[in-house]
Amino acid sequence: MKRSVFFISDGTGITAEALGNALLTQFEGIEFERNVLPYIDTIEKAQTTAERINKAFITDGQKPIIFDTVVDKEIRSVIRTCNGFPIDIFETFLSPLERELGHQSSYTVGTSHSITEEDTYKSRIDAVHFALDNDDGIRTKNFRDADIILIGVSRCGKTPTCIYMALQYGLCAANYPITEEDMRDGMITLPKFLKENQHKLFGLTINAENLSNIRNERRANSRYSSLAQCEMEVDSVEELFIKEGIPHINSTFFSIEEISARILNITGIERKN
C-alpha cells in the first residue's frame, strides 16, 4: 500500500516533518512517499502546491496526507482547496492550549527553530566543534573537557551519536575507537587517558554481522571487514565493558536519536539546551 504525504510550511518545515513522521511510523505496512515543501509563503506558491497535491491524488487514486504548519490563513485556505487529507498541526495543538492557558498564541512563523537565546545557540555550535575536533581520539588531551566519551569498535556509530548529542543536547562528546593496538597479551586494556576519565566513558557495541556489512561498504573483502575479525573485536570490547564496569548498549537496532536518549537516561547526564 502506497500513500503520498506532504509536509507543508511557510517556514523551514522542520516541525511539520518531525511530528508528521513521528505519527506515520505508527502505521506499518504502508509505503509513504514523502514530499517536504518549506517556505510556502505566498498565494502563488500555495496554488502550485495545491496543483501538485491534486496530481498526486489523480496518480495514487487516494487523497494525499497533508501535515502543515502554515500560519497565514489565506495561504492555508488555498491549500485546503486541493484533494488531500489535511492535518493542521498548529490548529490541532494550539487551539486546545489557548483554551487551557487562557492566552492567545502568537502564530509566528519559525519561532521553534529560530535563534531565541544566543548563549544557548553558541554553546550548541561550540559542542559540535568539540565533537568534530575530538573524533576518533584525535586529541585525547581534550578528554578532560568532555561531558561524555563514547568508546567501542570502529564503525559502531560513535561519531554520528557524538555529533547528534552536541547538536541536539549541547553536550561536548568525544569518542575513541578501541582497536587491536589497545590489546596486551590478547586482552584489551584501557589506555591511561581513558582510565583517567573513566567516569565519563560510555560503551557502544554492535552485532558482529552488522558490523561486517558496514565495514565491507568501506573496505570490501579486507581483514578489517571480515566476520571473524569483527567477532573478535566485538567480543573483546564487550568483555572490557563488563570487566571495567563501563555502562554500554548495543547500537545495532537503534537510531542515533534512540542511542543518544538512552545514553542520557542511563548516565543521568543533563542536556545543556
Side-chain angles (χ1 to χ4, degrees), residues 89-108:
I89 293 176
F90 280 168
E91 181 65 27
T92 300
F93 295 104
L94 284 182
S95 292
L97 270 175
E98 287 175 338
R99 290 193 294 271
E100 175 63 25
L101 298 174
H103 192 81
Q104 191 74 18
S105 63
S106 63
Y107 281 87
T108 304

Side-chain angles (χ1 to χ4, degrees), residues 78-212:
V78 172
I79 296 173
R80 290 290 187 275
T81 63
C82 67
N83 288 309
F85 179 77
I87 300 174
D88 185 331
I89 293 176
F90 280 168
E91 181 65 27
T92 300
F93 295 104
L94 284 182
S95 292
L97 270 175
E98 287 175 338
R99 290 193 294 271
E100 175 63 25
L101 298 174
H103 192 81
Q104 191 74 18
S105 63
S106 63
Y107 281 87
T108 304
V109 179
T111 52
S112 60
H113 302 287
S114 60
I115 303 175
T116 54
E117 297 182 21
E118 290 189 11
D119 290 343
T120 297
Y121 182 77
K122 184 180 182 302
S123 68
R124 187 181 300 180
I125 298 302
D126 289 343
V128 172
H129 287 161
F130 184 90
L132 294 174
D133 289 341
N134 296 278
D135 183 40
D136 273 350
I138 295 174
R139 296 181 176 86
T140 56
K141 61 181 175 54
N142 293 335
F143 281 6
R144 63 179 179 274
D145 299 319
D147 295 309
I148 189 166
I149 304 167
L150 301 187
I151 62 173
V153 298
S154 171
R155 311 301 288 180
C156 69
K158 300 183 301 300
T159 297
T161 302
C162 283
I163 294 174
Y164 181 85
M165 288 196 295
L167 188 58
Q168 193 71 15
Y169 302 143
L171 294 175
C172 290
N175 74 80
Y176 180 83
I178 301 294
T179 67
E180 286 183 284
E181 295 178 3
D182 299 304
M183 297 186 73
R184 299 289 183 274
D185 300 323
M187 294 291 292
I188 293 181
T189 57
L190 285 178
K192 181 181 178 182
F193 53 83
L194 288 183
K195 197 73 174 176
E196 292 171 346
N197 294 281
Q198 188 163 345
H199 61 290
K200 299 179 181 180
L201 299 183
F202 193 95
L204 292 185
T205 185
I206 185 173
N207 291 1
E209 288 186 9
N210 293 76
L211 179 61
S212 178

Side-chain angles (χ1 to χ4, degrees), residues 17-30 32 34 67:
E17 186 179 6
L19 185 52
N21 277 325
L23 296 173
L24 294 178
T25 57
Q26 304 302 312
F27 298 90
E28 298 179 3
I30 301 177
F32 295 108
R34 294 167 168 81
F67 293 98

